[in-house]
Amino acid sequence: MKRLSCASLRVRLILPVLMAIIPALGITIYSGLEQRNQARLHALEDAQRLAQEISKDHDHLIQNARQTLFTLSKISQVQEQDKDTCCKISADIMKQSEDYTALAAAKPNGDVFASSMPITRPINYSDRSWFQRLLKTRDFVIGEYQIGRVSGKPSIVLAYPVLDDIGNLKAILALGMDLDWLKQTIAKIKLPEGISVSVIDSDGTILFHFPEPGKFIGKSMPE
């Protein structure tokens, strides 16, 4: 009987303590969950902001390239495949931009006849997918990740057709976009420590990765 009364007393003592602890514990759990949810929302906002910045810079580079190639396509020496003039113009353009790797001009059969960089061997673009698409569309095309045959650097080709007044294809202009432009965007945004960023193309090839881009560029993104 004495034991029962002691046990009963302990229960009566524990219950008030539990009643006091449970609300505080509930508040602590709720607070923790709320902080976790806020951190998740902030992370999503940061990711969206970064994607928008990269997309904006990417679009800007593409539009600049398209306008440059369009202007070049109207020059008579380019339409006439004047090698010396085309080489000089291409080299001058590349000196003014760090966002591109090389600028080349090719004949309709794919043979490169002029370039911003010296060419020591024959180069032909006819087997490139972007070149084949340009022949079909006769319009501005954006290629996939590749190692440039003129520059030897990882790049994405932006190509434009050179047409005469009646629509005959006279030449193809190809401008390699340097993948290092993303480094400038990342540096400008100043990512928090521990954040990694990957940019992939439609084929799942990694175009850029931060940090340590050299370990990932050109490799396939895991499923």
Side-chain angles (χ1 to χ4, degrees):
M1 196 73 174
K2 195 171 185 180
R3 287 183 181 176
L4 288 175
S5 62
C6 288
S8 178
L9 178 61
R10 282 198 296 270
V11 170
R12 286 198 298 271
L13 289 174
I14 290 172
L15 282 175
V17 174
L18 289 176
M19 293 298 291
I21 290 176
I22 288 174
L25 182 61
I27 292 173
T28 301
I29 292 173
Y30 174 79
S31 177
L33 291 174
E34 184 64 21
Q35 290 178 2
R36 186 175 179 180
N37 186 52
Q38 288 298 321
R40 183 180 65 85
L41 291 176
H42 287 317
L44 289 173
E45 290 173 359
D46 288 342
Q48 184 177 26
R49 178 171 57 88
L50 175 59
Q52 290 172 344
E53 286 289 335
I54 291 176
S55 178
K56 182 174 67 176
D57 286 357
H58 187 242
D59 287 343
H60 179 71
L61 285 176
I62 289 176
Q63 291 307 316
N64 279 351
R66 183 169 190 164
Q67 184 59 47
T68 297
L69 295 175
F70 169 78
T71 302
L72 286 175
S73 73
K74 300 303 178 181
I75 298 175
S76 60
Q77 290 90 336
V78 176
Q79 295 196 5
E80 295 167 2
Q81 299 181 12
D82 184 330
K83 177 180 177 180
D84 293 337
T85 301
C86 289
C87 285
K88 184 179 185 308
I89 293 175
S90 298
D92 289 342
I93 290 175
M94 294 306 299
K95 287 178 183 177
Q96 300 174 23
S97 177
E98 297 179 350
D99 298 319
Y100 307 100
T101 58
L103 173 58
K107 299 177 182 180
N109 67 354
D111 290 337
V112 175
F113 66 86
S115 170
S116 59
M117 302 175 68
I119 297 177
T120 58
R121 57 183 176 81
I123 295 177
N124 186 283
Y125 288 144
S126 62
D127 63 330
R128 295 290 203 187
S129 60
W130 61 262
F131 185 89
Q132 295 165 9
R133 278 191 283 121
L134 185 143
L135 292 181
K136 292 180 180 179
T137 63
R138 300 294 180 95
D139 201 357
F140 177 72
V141 299
I142 301 174
E144 298 77 27
Y145 169 87
Q146 63 182 36
I147 302 299
R149 287 179 177 165
V150 172
S151 67
K153 295 181 178 180
S155 61
I156 295 175
V157 168
L158 310 172
Y160 200 89
V162 179
L163 307 173
D164 63 16
D165 294 336
I166 59 175
N168 293 320
L169 183 65
K170 306 296 291 183
I172 294 94
L173 296 171
L175 181 62
M177 185 168 65
D178 196 337
L179 299 180
D180 278 349
W181 66 269
L182 282 165
K183 290 181 181 178
Q184 300 175 11
T185 301
I186 297 299
K188 179 175 63 177
I189 296 175
K190 296 180 180 179
L191 292 176
E193 186 177 353
I195 295 295
S196 64
V197 178
S198 292
V199 178
I200 64 173
D201 66 11
S202 58
D203 293 329
T205 302
I206 298 175
L207 303 178
F208 179 82
H209 186 276
F210 176 87
E212 301 180 300
K215 292 184 178 180
F216 298 92
I217 290 179
K219 295 182 179 180
S220 296
M221 188 74 173
E223 289 295 331

